[in-house]
């Protein structure tokens, strides 16, 4: 059953990566990467329970912290670049 | 009693996985950036706490449960913050709610 949880998390990660590759605005990509990071935390927790070594949960905590701070930092970088939101690719 | 706790934990994990897949489909198929923020919030606020609560029920009263509780509190505090910062940054930079942007060009679509 943990395998079912891991499979659903992986399906969600695949959908998020698809949005990150397709999304035409910068903010779509940041949103998809944020979802992907949250799902990575869940995947680390599920793998810790699957392998029977729950010590790996410390890594999941550290990853959640780094993911949040990284998203906020990238948003600070892009917030005042108003043209980037609606600019088509390659211009 | 142990069987009931086990069953409840599996139900929670399956419900969390279902919410994750629903949010991922919404992230792909909703037309507007702000509605996609809503889809991502569905995965952040239902999928992660349900799955982590299911693991908490499985692990019993150990240090692992405390770590999972820290994880759930941290996600509960940070994912709305990240969504709010994302919406504010997008609004600040010129994306407007309710307008549909063409998927191929990124320009605003008429109609």
């Amino acid at each position: 059953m943990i395998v079912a949880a891991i499979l659903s998390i992986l399906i969600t990660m695949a959908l998020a990566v698809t949005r990150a590759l397709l999304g035409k605005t910068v903010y779509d990509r940041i949103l998809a990467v944020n979802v992907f990071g949250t799902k990575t935390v869940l995947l680390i927790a599920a793998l810790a329970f699957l392998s029977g070594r729950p010590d790996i949960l410390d890594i999941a905590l550290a990853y959640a912290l780094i993911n949040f701070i990284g998203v906020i930092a990238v948003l600070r970088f892009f917030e005042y670049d108003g043209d980037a939101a609606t600019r088509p690719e390659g211009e | 009693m142990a069987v009931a706790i086990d069953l409840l934990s599996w139900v929670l994990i399956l419900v969390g996985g279902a919410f994750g897949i629903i949010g991922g489909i919404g992230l792909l198929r909703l037309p507007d950036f702000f509605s996609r923020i809503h889809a991502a919030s569905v995965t952040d606020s239902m999928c992660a706490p349900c799955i982590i609560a299911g693991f908490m029920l499985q692990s019993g009263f150990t240090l692992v449960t405390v770590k999972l509780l820290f994880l759930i509190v941290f996600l509960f505090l940070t994912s709305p913050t990240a969504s709010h910062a994302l919406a504010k940054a997008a609004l600040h930079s010129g994306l407007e709610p309710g307008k549909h942007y063409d998927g191929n060009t990124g320009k605003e679509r008429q109609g």
Side-chain angles (χ1 to χ4, degrees):
Chain A
M1 287 297 275
I2 295 181
V3 177
I6 287 178
L7 277 178
S8 63
I9 291 168
L10 283 176
I11 289 170
T12 312
M13 283 166 106
L15 292 167
V17 166
T18 313
R19 171 47 66 194
L21 292 176
L22 285 178
K24 281 301 169 187
T25 67
V26 176
Y27 301 102
D28 277 319
R29 295 196 166 100
I30 298 172
L31 180 72
V33 166
N34 188 18
V35 171
F36 188 83
T38 310
K39 293 298 164 292
T40 309
V41 172
L42 287 180
L43 186 70
I44 292 169
L47 284 174
F49 273 87
L50 185 72
S51 62
R53 284 181 292 178
D55 306 330
I56 310 174
L57 285 172
D58 297 335
I59 302 174
L61 269 167
Y63 197 90
L65 284 161
I66 291 171
N67 180 41
F68 173 66
I69 292 171
V71 166
I72 295 298
V74 173
L75 278 176
R76 280 289 155 202
F77 182 75
F78 278 114
E79 184 167 8
Y80 297 104
D81 188 8
D83 195 19
T86 52
R87 191 166 52 217
E89 300 293 310
E91 287 186 17
Chain B
M1 191 62 196
V3 177
I5 287 178
D6 224 25
L7 198 68
L8 185 62
S9 95
W10 288 127
V11 165
L12 274 174
I13 286 174
L14 285 181
V15 164
F19 267 105
I21 293 176
I22 288 167
I25 291 171
L27 197 67
L28 263 187
R29 298 202 53 197
L30 285 172
D32 185 11
F33 169 69
F34 293 92
S35 52
R36 283 179 205 137
I37 287 186
H38 162 67
S41 303
V42 165
T43 69
D44 278 346
S45 63
M46 280 303 290
C47 169
C50 281
I51 289 180
I52 294 175
F55 285 147
M56 279 168 79
L57 286 178
Q58 285 223 332
S59 61
F61 288 103
T62 52
L63 183 64
V64 175
T65 311
V66 180
K67 285 178 188 175
L68 286 170
L69 188 68
F70 280 150
L71 201 58
I72 207 170
V73 166
F74 186 77
L75 287 176
F76 193 74
L77 288 177
T78 56
S79 73
T81 312
S83 292
H84 170 76
L86 197 60
K88 190 168 79 81
L91 198 63
H92 192 93
S93 76
L95 280 180
E96 291 185 24
K99 289 186 177 176
H100 292 198
Y101 292 92
D102 190 70
N104 294 320
T105 62
K107 300 275 190 195
E108 187 185 332
R109 193 166 54 210
Q110 301 299 323

